[in-house]
Amino acid sequence: MIRGIRELVAPENVGVTLPHEHVLHSIGAIRAIASSNADLEIRFEDLIDYRRAPFAYGGRNMLQQKEDEAFRELEKLQHLADNQLKPLVVDVTLPIEGRDIFVKERLHLAERLKDLNLLTVTTFEIERIDEEFTIGLSTKEQSERIAKTLEAELMFGIESGGSVAFPGAIYQQICVSSGELRAKEQVLAQALALVQARTHAPLYLSFSFDEMDSEPKQMIRAWIRALMDAGAERKKLVVCHADRWCRGDFEGAGYEFLVQLLDLGVSVLFNMIGLLAVSDVMMINPCLSSTSKSSESMDNEDQQPPPDSRLVKWIASLVKIKPQYSSQILLSTNVHQRIQYRRYGGGGYTYLFEHFKHRLLRQGVSAAQWGLIMRENVVDLLAWYVPPEAPPIPKNYLQCSICEKYFEPIEVDTPRLNYDENTNKIMYPSWTHKPDVKAKQN
């Protein structure tokens, strides 16, 4: 079963999927607090400014916190429901991005969107591994403690403000700063592998780098190797933001690295499709970007999302080289800026299905491969939850002939009755009701 935010979802009831999106978040809150203008209105004349600087005008573009606005955008996705198969959206908003702030609103939104399945994620920030957390614990015990924390959220949900949301996947942001895994990273990698192996939940890996001109591919391979060596299932590992390597010459270093990842057996996720239509900025870790000095204007070409024309060619080529790669490729639009909404000129949550699909099919990707990428791959990843077995029904329980439910019979001890020949009456025990009944004459 798939662990939805409110209820379990049967895999056979899932339609098209978006495995990496943002639905409700407060990423721009840092800038919004500092802004003197509390109004969150997006003016059309300012779209050109948001294109180069997503956090402009107090960060309002990076505040997806209006439930009604999100509802209108996701409502369009509901129209893609086919043969009672409901679309599925994975909201990868993390605690630092406002996940826990909007638990109640997210649950209410899922209730309103009756023809759509909404999922959320759990995570463990590496900053929580401090002296207080590790005191008196060995590295193995630290990993075990983290794993149990994540497993508890996966099983029993995330509580906030009296509301509980159930996560359907693990999402981990990893900031790479050196060529080797540091001590904390080794502890975290071991913990992630433990909880993944125990629950079989998918593990999203979002790598960011301290230096924009440095992409330590070796470090990414080291992380994947550490996870698999610790027992993680390779088919459940997802490397996010594969679009970042779609640069330069075709079949260059970036293309070669994608092939290497696919050969490792992990899934690669292209989640910036359609972004260039409205933004020149590709943010891997938006919260990190919000505190960057250069976030007001991001002109670095390495930060720009690749055009859809290039993504179409690269994805189609990967599928043609080895058809089996089709089962490891995931696509999404990662709607995280409000200017990506349809109402502001973006492609919204339906862009993949209304526009990108046809371009990919024209490049030779078959309809069956498209269905595999946009539905079956995601369903296989997310269908990990096994509900606990119901306790055995006691042998003395009875089954109702109408509702067929089992119930516990009411058992009353039958008192022993004695006949008093002198008074010609039946003698009842003192603790029972004594009806005035005359005994029959012998």
Side-chain angles (χ1 to χ4, degrees):
M1 298 291 284
I2 296 174
R3 190 72 144 152
I5 190 173
R6 295 177 62 244
E7 57 191 4
L8 297 179
V9 180
E12 60 270 18
N13 294 334
V14 175
V16 295
T17 63
L18 290 173
H20 191 293
E21 301 294 332
H22 286 79
V23 175
L24 292 171
H25 70 69
S26 59
I27 295 174
I30 297 176
R31 293 299 179 90
I33 294 173
S35 174
S36 59
N37 186 0
D39 188 3
L40 297 180
E41 179 187 0
I42 297 287
R43 300 185 304 174
F44 286 99
E45 56 265 35
D46 296 333
L47 292 179
I48 188 65
D49 298 322
Y50 292 121
R51 183 177 187 92
R52 293 183 55 214
F55 290 92
Y57 301 105
R60 67 189 68 182
N61 173 48
M62 301 299 297
L63 288 171
Q64 287 183 215
Q65 56 190 33
K66 293 184 177 182
E67 182 186 326
D68 288 340
E69 196 172 57
F71 174 79
R72 285 193 295 269
E73 293 293 324
L74 287 169
E75 191 178 27
K76 297 179 176 66
L77 188 61
Q78 284 191 135
H79 298 158
L80 298 179
D82 183 28
N83 296 326
Q84 304 301 317
L85 300 181
K86 299 180 181 180
L88 180 147
V89 176
V90 181
D91 183 0
V92 298
T93 301
L94 300 178
I96 193 175
E97 300 170 343
R99 182 199 66 183
D100 299 342
I101 299 175
F102 301 108
V103 167
K104 184 177 180 179
E105 291 80 359
R106 194 173 284 107
L107 287 168
H108 186 238
L109 184 62
E111 184 179 1
R112 294 172 66 186
L113 295 164
K114 299 185 183 301
D115 292 325
L116 185 141
N117 298 307
L118 186 62
L119 276 69
T120 187
V121 297
T122 184
T123 190
F124 193 92
E125 299 87 348
I126 196 170
E127 292 78 13
R128 294 169 62 183
I129 308 177
D130 53 17
E131 291 184 4
E132 182 179 354
F133 180 88
T134 61
I135 187 169
L137 299 177
S138 65
T139 55
K140 184 177 180 180
E141 291 171 334
Q142 294 171 33
S143 297
E144 185 67 35
R145 184 178 180 183
I146 296 172
K148 288 182 177 179
T149 300
L150 291 170
E151 190 172 358
E153 289 196 348
L154 286 169
M155 294 296 127
F156 304 110
I158 302 165
E159 192 276 334
S160 179
S163 300
V164 178
F166 294 94
I170 309 166
Y171 192 99
Q172 194 63 43
Q173 284 187 343
I174 301 167
C175 185
V176 177
S177 58
S178 63
E180 298 179 355
L181 270 70
R182 296 169 295 176
K184 287 185 178 181
E185 292 174 330
Q186 292 175 359
V187 169
L188 182 59
Q190 180 72 24
L192 293 172
L194 282 174
V195 68
Q196 194 288 311
R198 290 172 183 171
T199 63
H200 307 291
L203 172 57
Y204 287 70
L205 301 171
S206 173
F207 294 96
S208 56
F209 313 109
D210 281 350
E211 298 180 7
M212 294 306 301
D213 58 348
S214 174
E215 293 191 2
K217 301 180 179 67
Q218 180 180 354
M219 190 61 182
I220 295 176
R221 286 191 290 264
W223 259 94
I224 295 174
R225 185 168 56 252
L227 289 167
M228 291 193 296
D229 289 345
E233 303 169 273
R234 65 182 65 198
K235 65 179 181 180
K236 290 286 188 174
L237 301 181
V238 181
V239 178
C240 304
H241 323 300
D243 324 62
R244 74 201 316 172
W245 293 295
C246 297
R247 301 188 181 282
D249 297 333
F250 187 65
E251 296 188 356
Y255 186 87
E256 181 182 354
F257 182 63
L258 288 176
V259 172
Q260 291 174 3
L261 290 177
L262 291 167
D263 286 338
L264 287 174
V266 303
S267 296
V268 295
L269 171 62
F270 298 85
N271 57 271
M272 299 177 191
I273 297 170
L275 179 59
L276 189 60
V278 295
S279 178
D280 291 335
V281 181
M282 174 178 63
M283 291 179 288
I284 304 301
N285 184 342
C287 286
L288 185 63
S289 300
S290 69
T291 58
S292 172
K293 294 181 180 179
S294 61
S295 62
E296 284 294 343
S297 180
M298 301 179 180
D299 293 327
N300 190 332
E301 291 186 2
D302 290 336
Q303 294 178 276
Q304 293 182 0
D308 287 353
S309 57
R310 186 185 305 161
L311 291 174
V312 166
K313 292 180 180 179
W314 282 49
I315 294 170
S317 177
L318 288 171
V319 172
K320 290 177 182 178
I321 288 178
K322 289 187 178 181
Q324 60 267 33
Y325 285 166
S326 300
S327 62
Q328 297 169 249
I329 294 175
L330 308 173
L331 305 180
S332 204
T333 48
N334 192 27
V335 175
H336 61 288
Q337 301 184 48
R338 290 171 67 198
I339 58 174
Q340 290 178 265
Y341 283 163
R342 292 282 291 271
R343 67 175 302 184
Y344 299 121
Y349 296 102
T350 60
Y351 178 82
L352 265 172
F353 313 103
E354 294 179 342
H355 302 282
F356 194 80
K357 172 184 177 180
H358 307 293
R359 301 181 67 174
L360 204 56
L361 295 180
R362 286 196 295 268
Q363 288 292 323
V365 175
S366 67
Q369 289 172 324
W370 169 260
L372 183 67
I373 293 171
M374 296 310 303
R375 181 188 178 277
E376 295 173 34
N377 291 351
V378 181
V379 169
D380 289 344
L381 275 172
L382 298 174
W384 60 271
Y385 183 76
V386 179
E389 294 183 3
I393 300 173
K395 294 181 179 180
N396 65 324
Y397 273 39
L398 302 177
Q399 186 177 21
C400 177
S401 60
I402 299 175
C403 67
E404 298 184 350
K405 293 183 179 180
Y406 288 89
F407 62 92
E408 182 180 5
I410 300 175
E411 297 180 357
V412 178
D413 292 336
T414 303
R416 183 176 180 179
L417 305 180
N418 298 314
Y419 178 70
D420 189 344
E421 295 181 353
N422 296 327
T423 60
N424 198 28
K425 292 183 178 180
I426 296 176
M427 305 302 295
Y428 289 86
S430 60
W431 50 268
T432 62
H433 177 62
K434 301 177 181 179
D436 187 13
V437 179
K438 291 185 178 180
K440 291 184 178 181
Q441 298 290 336
N442 289 335

